[in-house]
Amino acid sequence: MSDYDVVVIGGGSTGTAVARDCQIRGLKTLLLERDDIASGTVGTCAGMISSGLKYMNEPEIVDMCSSEVVHLKRIARHIIMKNPILTPMLEMSDLSSGGNFAEEYSKRAAEREVPPVMFLTPEDSLKIEPMLNPDIIASLYFEEYFIDPFRLCLLQAIDAKRRGADIRTYCEVTNIIVQDGRVTGVEFFDRLTGRLESVSTRIVVNATGPWAEKVAALAGMPLELRLNKGAHVILDRRVVNVGVIAKAVDGRMIYLFPHENTVVLGTTALDTWEDPDSVRASHDEIEYLLKSMEWVVPSIREARVVRAMEGIRPLVADWKIPEGDVTRGYRIMDHAGDGGEGMISFTGGKLVMCRHMAESVTDIICEKLGVERECRTHLEPLPGNEDDVDVLALASEYGMSAHVVERMRARRGTEVRAVLELTRDRPNWKTKICTCEPVIEAEIRYSIRHEFPQTVDDLRRRLRIGTGPCQGTFCTYKAAAILAEELGLTGQQYLHEVLSYLAERWKGKRPPMRGGQLPLEEMAQGMYACVANLDHTGPPRERQPWEEV
Amino acid sequence: MSEEEAYEFVKNTLRDEGIVPYHGQELEVVKSVEQCMNCGLCLNHCPVVRAVGVDRFSGPRGIAVELSRSPPEYWSTADTIYLCTGCGTCREVCPKNVDIPSVVILMRARIFKRRSDLVPKSLLQLSATLTKYGLAFTPWEDEEDKAESRDARLERHGLPHIEDRIKPGAEVLYYPGCQAEERSQEIREAAKLILDYFGIDFTLPTEMSCCGLPAKLIGDEETARSLASRLTEQVRSLKVRAVITTCAGCTSRILEIAEEENWGVPVYHMVEFLAERVGIDRLGAEFSKGASEGGITVTVHDPCHLIRHVSRLVMDSALEILGAIPDVELADSGVADSCCGGGGLVGYHAADVSSLVTARNIEAITRRDPDRVVAPCPLCTSQIENELYRHGSGIEVDDLTVYIAKHLPLRR
Amino acid sequence: MEIAADVAVIGGGMAGLVAGTVASQAGLSVVVLSRGHGATADCSGAIDVIGYLPLATTPTVSAIEGLHLLAALHVLHPYSILGLERESLVVDGDVVVKRVQETIEWFLSTVAESELRHVGSLDSTIMACSPLGTLKPTALLQQTMWSDSLMDEDNVVMFAGIRGYPDFHSGMAAKTFLEERQALREGPRRVINCTVDLSNLLPVSNLSAIELARLFDTEEGLRHLAESLQSHVEGTGASHVVLPPVLGLEHAATARSELESRLGAEVIETISFPPSIPGTRLQAALEAALERAGGRLLKGHEVVGTETSKDRVTGIKARGPRRSVSVTAKSYVLATGKFVGGGLAGDERGLRETVFGLQVFDGDRMSVTETRPQKLTDLTWVTERGHRLYTCGIGVDEHLRPVGLDGRVYAANLFGAGAVLAGYNYITEKSGLGVAIATGHAAAIEAVNFATEAKS
């Protein structure tokens, strides 16, 4: 009897989806994540759950994407938002690769509850989006859905956990044990306790994205990835009302998408061999994006650039073709043929496909283990997403600001009530800790008690604290104090948390530093370095990979 | 699908998603708000925060850094966004002059357009009044009753009456504003008397319609626009070369309209016009001829719509004029520039809040105990006078235009 | 609209208000133009003179020692410029110390007239307690923030938070403070914390510093605070109570004595993060001082245009919300601050000075007008070295007149003061308000001299 049926390595979009699917089908599952849920690639994307519009050369993919959007809308209604998107054209040639993309997209439009692709006059385009260049000659209009990628991953993990799975973050796999051509167990280092542990298992799923090659090598399995890095620039608040797609400096298509209360400008695509932990956005990428969007949104440079993030796509290893031509579909590798029966890896894929990938992988696992259970992940709503939420009624019932409740709804749906209940005994927990999002103390405490964050950065993924215009300047010391109190940290550990989170925010703030961020940065330094003297006192910190020159 | 049909489809989605695109000047406002660095200095000076606390009114910081970031969510700000008095103190102390008052108007406009069920009922009623009558007050039904009320007020202030004057081609348009037209008629009368006294070639509007500031504060952009057009039409058809008003709110709103509609004609508050055109020396000479009250202490209130929406320098003119009245001794209350609480239409739906804002002025004024309070704005005048009365004080408050008229040797 | 004055000061923070007040006290007509508040209004309550030498890891023993070392080692530091001998690069440390001492003394007595008193001196660096419980070296503190005996071994120090007020977590502050003291093997040995409840008088959540400060300016509020603290103090035998910096806007000092006599324990406030009550106290005291001296503060007006002719600034244009005003003066002081104040701005092309378009330098007098801000920063967020970005500003000669790349003076009647100056990093050095006071004062003297000569 092995400890587990399945050990999933990697807590990203697909890893958590696999853990969920396996556990729902009754397989005893352990998820091991080196850092925190969604701290890898999925945390650096724009959050679009693509209908597959770009991949008209691969109609099966378009089909799959479309049906996945429908599934996600069913199971994750609260963390999904819809954006109208305009592709303005200054010349007819601006419309990328002709073909019948409009037709492909429009085929499944009705089931996604969006209109077919349409053309709009320049006057109407400008009415919808006054920030557009007045010289445009027309635009294409369609609609896409967006999701909060952190909440998606977290809810998948929590759902798995509620059904009996073990979810362990801050556990780094150090060895995958293969005996007689089959996988038998996994060794890992628990970074929180400092202890080496090992478990036995029948199946190991390598869901580690850009690290998949390294992790496969732990079992001696071959795997090749084509790593590709991309940057996004985040602008504060919704400066555009709808999404805008434009032709970039080099002919690629880039986008400007409203996302919750920010706007995301992306993305670039560069083959890379960098350590995924060390990547940060470059000046070239930032200027590439701004310049590209400037033709279509001339005032883009006046908007407040808040940060720039960099992520790595684990593409399928198709070489000697431009990265744009590499398939965005996924590949599953069953390592049985490599002498590693029971180990499964995969590469490629897009956010929208994560549940589908997980289903395929879990189907394979079930076949191997002789389990006959059907997939239900497309039917069972994620925690908090079972029902609609009446924000105004809840706000009135608990004496809360309606805006606080609305922002909370977009994270946890029906769970809002459980959070607000905490304020009955502790009315002071109605206090806003993050003033930008906003996030109240009750939600921070709820998250610490139920969503297993270890650091302020983990809290950021769960609650969006520190993602607003002040980038954590005002909430960090308060949120860290609450975390420190709940986890029983020492004063030095508390200061370490404060500095670590602000260092992480600096990673993204520094590359695009300009304009309105300069006064903010001066104030942040003024607070933590000048007033709190943390540049001369406080705990020593190890240099992070991205802080290396 | 044709392009027109396509656009209709799009409008539906925009409505469902709560998207009302920014247009024109609004983009400038959004850019201004983007400068906010969350420093919170505004909270230390906001009169509504002072009155009710951040828990009830998130304050200008909350509006800038939280509430205004995502228009599809504006409907959920309705419990906060109507409590702002629009005083602009936040903008004045802000290191970046973030334009909170304008962003409040922008947000209210979207709530009005998309979720009028969340607009305070009394504001919807005011909007109906504006739409129906083109005025912020229900006008007198009977002209005779109106004249009777006017005469009673004139008698109380000891001022004579001269006929209205409508004169196309006059140099100056005197615009009374809704309150002076329909309620505090003594202000309109005093203005006419002053302009006549100094031989200014002026005209009244042919038809008096609201400048539209209340419409903007409700979020009723359509009515605000149509009222702006009506006023523009007045200015153009009367061919005047300057516009004067006696209300602070009207001054700031009309300056805005003049810019947007390219009037090419300067707009003044009465005290600015008098200081510049007539001059302090001449005013002083005329005041010396007028009736003297004996030594009298006067406390001044600075209307927010003048000092913070036009310029602090406007009150220089007011103080100079008062200083030229013999036997008037100016007494500093210490709260001259503290919002009176009458703005933002807060009093219409949250009278407790607006009264709490005025409380600071009342406390300092009663402590200083002047003989009189003067303010160059009918709204501030009535707000402070009503609140003084409610607190049991007998201190009288005069609109400054009326006060000036009372000190001129007018033929009775 | 037009305003004529002897001296026009651009910027209403510490440097600008000091300059305006000094010039007014000299009998000249002064107008100070302020667009909004700046970093001064959000300051911590400490007056930093020189807490750390550049790159130092240990604090200065005294500001005087620090000033001497700066004069010897950092000739381009604004303090050092005050000790420059005529047309040379030799800095006389004694002159620097004397000038800084005089200006600080002037400042202390001036704000004391507005009921804002400070403790400390340039002879001995003191450690101030931050809201996080960490300590920072400084020269002067608002008097409500200091106790001589705080670090005595046998004390019981109690950090007291207020329920519903999120900006001060007494538990973590206490822990941090104690651990730091223990690491140094110094007292106090007992550090505890408590939370008081004010829900009788105020809302129970989202309390802001300003609401608390106004509450404690009232008798009832203060009494309630004392009563709430009393049981905690008695139960623990606390000898010192550390409160967040909200003891009152106008009556903080009397509030403190009241509390101390009721509790039988010493009471201090920590220094402050924004939004800052101590900063608001200081800003109000400075504005009152200007008014007392006969100077005029014109709020809500941003300088948007300047006129220069030959080598003189001949006028500036300031814009209010809907009116513009032309200001003509004999001499001008530029005290517009750094990025928070708005004296400097930057984008991907480089840094610029926002009013006159003056040359912007870094701390080593290298031009940064074509250096993008990111390049002036370190990969690591906080280090003892700090970021080059904050050493940037305008370069000035020994008369505090801005100079260009070639060293030529921009105008004979323009003087710079405060954070707009290059050559120091107030964040790492803990030197912000000290530089503002010293250079504000010095710039005023220069402006007054010029204006007086111009008259005759």
Side-chain angles (χ1 to χ4, degrees), chain A residues 416-465:
Chain A
V416 169
R417 182 175 279 283
V419 174
L420 295 178
E421 254 314 292
L422 295 177
T423 64
R424 286 219 194 278
D425 284 335
R426 306 289 202 123
N428 57 305
W429 284 4
K430 289 185 193 177
T431 303
K432 291 178 195 172
I433 301 298
C434 167
T435 49
C436 302
E437 270 302 299
V439 182
I440 61 174
E441 185 165 348
E443 195 184 354
I444 295 180
R445 299 218 182 231
Y446 181 89
S447 180
I448 294 172
R449 295 175 186 185
H450 299 283
E451 296 180 335
F452 48 90
Q454 300 299 325
T455 67
V456 181
D457 202 20
D458 297 351
L459 279 174
R460 184 254 312 173
R461 279 180 272 270
R462 287 150 182 71
L463 306 171
R464 292 178 64 83
I465 55 172

Side-chain angles (χ1 to χ4, degrees), chain A residues 518-520 522-523, chain B residues 37 95-96, chain C residues 37-39 338-343 426:
Chain A
L518 293 172
L520 177 74
E522 183 187 339
M523 211 168 42
Chain B
M37 41 175 185
K96 306 298 167 196
Chain C
H37 286 167
K338 217 175 280 289
F339 301 106
V340 170
Y426 78 81

Side-chain angles (χ1 to χ4, degrees), chain B residues 269-291:
Chain B
H269 184 280
M270 177 66 81
V271 301
E272 291 182 290
F273 184 80
L274 289 178
E276 194 183 300
R277 172 65 79 88
V278 175
I280 302 300
D281 291 337
R282 180 148 171 236
L283 281 164
E286 299 305 318
F287 287 143
S288 307
K289 298 181 203 162

Side-chain angles (χ1 to χ4, degrees), chain C residues 79-402:
Chain C
Y79 287 136
S80 301
I81 291 177
L82 299 178
L84 269 178
E85 291 175 359
R86 295 271 137 162
E87 267 132 74
S88 75
L89 274 176
V90 177
V91 178
D92 187 333
D94 289 328
V95 171
V96 171
V97 170
K98 178 161 176 287
R99 289 189 79 175
V100 173
Q101 249 171 341
E102 280 169 1
T103 56
I104 294 283
E105 267 159 32
W106 173 90
F107 164 77
L108 290 174
S109 63
T110 302
V111 294
E113 286 172 50
S114 306
E115 304 300 315
L116 184 65
R117 289 186 179 75
H118 293 76
V119 297
S121 80
L122 302 186
D123 296 318
S124 179
T125 296
I126 52 179
M127 300 305 278
C129 185
S130 83
L132 303 187
T134 54
L135 296 175
K136 92 159 223 190
T138 188
L140 308 163
L141 281 175
Q142 290 184 10
Q143 66 171 137
T144 46
M145 297 173 165
W146 177 251
S147 159
D148 279 325
S149 56
L150 182 68
M151 313 295 197
D152 289 357
E153 261 206 34
D154 296 318
N155 284 341
V156 179
V157 174
M158 183 171 76
F159 282 73
I162 298 170
R163 186 158 293 124
Y165 173 62
D167 297 357
F168 183 62
H169 193 287
S170 60
M172 290 322 297
K175 270 194 188 178
T176 306
F177 180 76
L178 178 61
E179 285 170 32
E180 207 171 316
R181 304 310 297 158
Q182 284 172 338
L184 292 169
R185 300 190 202 289
E186 285 173 18
R189 270 182 294 158
R190 270 194 71 198
V191 179
I192 53 182
N193 76 293
C194 72
T195 307
V196 298
D197 194 300
L198 298 173
S199 51
N200 276 14
L201 296 174
L202 284 179
V204 76
S205 57
N206 289 306
L207 288 176
S208 59
I210 188 67
E211 289 166 77
L212 290 167
R214 289 193 182 120
L215 179 71
F216 300 142
D217 270 340
T218 69
E219 258 193 60
E220 193 194 359
L222 197 63
R223 191 184 57 236
H224 198 93
L225 177 63
E227 279 162 14
S228 312
L229 283 169
Q230 199 140 22
S231 52
H232 293 286
V233 170
E234 280 167 7
T236 57
S239 59
H240 292 71
V241 177
V242 179
L243 290 171
V246 296
L247 252 189
L249 206 46
E250 286 167 32
H251 308 302
T254 38
R256 181 198 189 181
S257 339
E258 241 328 276
L259 279 178
E260 288 185 331
S261 69
R262 281 180 194 256
L263 297 174
E266 285 196 47
V267 173
I268 63 164
E269 304 176 293
T270 67
I271 55 178
S272 183
F273 280 162
S276 167
I277 298 301
T280 306
R281 295 174 195 149
L282 177 62
Q283 183 73 29
L286 290 169
E287 288 181 11
L290 178 71
E291 199 180 347
R292 269 196 316 271
R296 197 225 159 117
L297 174 62
L298 182 56
K299 294 187 191 178
H301 282 72
E302 182 185 358
V303 175
V304 295
T306 62
E307 271 159 26
T308 358
S309 171
K310 300 193 187 156
D311 69 334
R312 298 277 191 277
V313 175
T314 50
I316 53 181
K317 181 161 155 213
R319 189 178 56 206
R322 288 231 175 248
R323 296 267 185 253
S324 292
V325 57
S326 300
V327 177
T328 43
K330 301 197 181 66
S331 46
Y332 299 80
V333 176
L334 184 68
T336 43
K338 217 175 280 289
F339 301 106
V340 170
L344 299 181
D347 58 26
E348 67 278 10
R349 288 164 297 183
L351 296 187
R352 64 181 197 284
E353 183 272 315
T354 57
V355 175
F356 290 92
L358 300 169
Q359 175 67 43
V360 181
F361 298 95
D362 71 0
D364 297 321
R365 287 288 170 104
M366 307 294 292
S367 169
V368 291
T369 38
E370 276 158 42
T371 311
R372 66 174 189 270
Q374 173 234 354
K375 288 203 146 187
L376 297 166
T377 62
D378 222 69
L379 278 168
T380 308
W381 195 59
V382 285
T383 58
E384 282 132 1
R385 189 177 51 245
H387 300 280
R388 214 168 117 213
L389 181 62
Y390 306 110
T391 66
C392 296
I394 59 176
V396 293
D397 69 0
E398 73 272 20
H399 294 289
L400 294 179
R401 295 177 301 194

Side-chain angles (χ1 to χ4, degrees), chain A residues 119-138:
Chain A
F119 275 92
L120 291 179
T121 64
E123 295 77 32
D124 288 341
S125 308
L126 285 161
K127 260 192 243 165
I128 297 169
E129 187 42 76
M131 295 259 279
L132 293 177
N133 187 333
D135 295 334
I136 58 171
I137 56 173

Side-chain angles (χ1 to χ4, degrees), chain A residues 261-526:
Chain A
N261 43 18
T262 62
V263 170
V264 176
L265 172 63
T267 177
T268 55
L270 289 161
D271 286 299
T272 182
W273 285 264
E274 296 239 46
D275 171 10
D277 291 319
S278 69
V279 288
R280 44 183 202 253
S282 66
H283 180 61
D284 282 341
E285 289 172 287
I286 295 165
E287 290 304 311
Y288 168 91
L289 290 169
L290 289 170
K291 170 106 192 151
S292 300
M293 193 49 73
E294 215 171 8
W295 283 302
V296 154
V297 181
S299 58
I300 190 78
R301 283 188 193 273
E302 295 169 46
R304 168 125 162 227
V305 175
V306 148
R307 78 185 283 111
M309 60 183 181
E310 188 87 10
I312 295 196
R313 308 171 181 86
L315 297 178
V316 166
D318 280 343
W319 300 100
K320 299 194 194 173
I321 52 174
E323 66 79 31
D325 292 348
V326 175
T327 177
R328 288 324 198 246
Y330 59 86
R331 300 252 173 88
I332 299 179
M333 284 79 134
D334 185 340
H335 292 291
D338 304 314
E341 170 61 56
M343 176 140 168
I344 302 169
S345 300
F346 48 78
T347 60
K350 287 188 73 66
L351 178 60
V352 66
M353 302 169 189
C354 66
R355 192 215 62 83
H356 195 273
M357 287 166 76
E359 182 176 344
S360 308
V361 168
T362 313
D363 285 344
I364 296 173
I365 294 173
C366 283
E367 211 190 297
K368 286 180 187 285
L369 299 182
V371 168
E372 270 185 41
R373 297 282 286 274
E374 275 193 351
C375 176
R376 292 190 56 76
T377 55
H378 58 304
L379 298 169
E380 305 276 343
L382 289 172
N385 288 274
E386 310 85 3
D387 212 346
D388 285 332
V389 171
D390 186 341
V391 168
L392 290 174
L394 276 172
S396 172
E397 188 183 334
Y398 287 92
M400 288 294 319
S401 131
H403 190 250
V404 167
V405 179
E406 167 57 18
R407 296 294 305 137
M408 215 193 289
R409 177 207 64 77
R411 286 189 281 280
R412 44 188 80 246
T414 56
E415 249 185 9
V416 169
R417 182 175 279 283
V419 174
L420 295 178
E421 254 314 292
L422 295 177
T423 64
R424 286 219 194 278
D425 284 335
R426 306 289 202 123
N428 57 305
W429 284 4
K430 289 185 193 177
T431 303
K432 291 178 195 172
I433 301 298
C434 167
T435 49
C436 302
E437 270 302 299
V439 182
I440 61 174
E441 185 165 348
E443 195 184 354
I444 295 180
R445 299 218 182 231
Y446 181 89
S447 180
I448 294 172
R449 295 175 186 185
H450 299 283
E451 296 180 335
F452 48 90
Q454 300 299 325
T455 67
V456 181
D457 202 20
D458 297 351
L459 279 174
R460 184 254 312 173
R461 279 180 272 270
R462 287 150 182 71
L463 306 171
R464 292 178 64 83
I465 55 172
T467 58
C470 90
Q471 288 291 296
T473 301
F474 285 90
C475 64
T476 301
Y477 73 96
K478 303 179 218 182
I482 296 171
L483 181 72
E485 185 197 304
E486 292 271 334
L487 298 184
L489 302 183
T490 66
Q492 291 293 293
Q493 286 171 325
Y494 161 63
L495 293 179
H496 190 268
E497 276 306 314
V498 169
L499 288 170
S500 295
Y501 186 51
L502 290 169
E504 194 283 333
R505 293 284 90 189
W506 179 236
K507 174 176 70 161
K509 280 194 287 181
R510 180 177 180 262
M513 274 272 276
R514 62 192 68 189
Q517 286 308 97
L518 293 172
L520 177 74
E521 202 45 46
E522 183 187 339
M523 211 168 42
Q525 291 275 325

Side-chain angles (χ1 to χ4, degrees), chain A residues 204-219:
Chain A
V204 170
V205 176
N206 176 8
T208 53
W211 293 269
E213 218 176 297
K214 278 199 193 145
V215 171
L218 288 176

Side-chain angles (χ1 to χ4, degrees), chain A residues 153-193:
Chain A
C153 299
L154 186 75
L155 291 173
Q156 287 178 153
I158 287 180
D159 199 19
K161 189 171 181 186
R162 286 191 186 162
R163 295 169 192 270
D166 288 331
I167 308 286
R168 294 186 61 174
T169 54
Y170 291 93
C171 287
E172 182 167 4
V173 171
T174 49
N175 197 7
I176 300 174
I177 303 163
V178 180
Q179 286 164 345
D180 300 324
R182 66 179 327 119
V183 156
T184 59
V186 163
E187 276 171 17
F188 60 94
F189 177 67
D190 184 332
R191 294 163 60 195
L192 297 174
T193 61

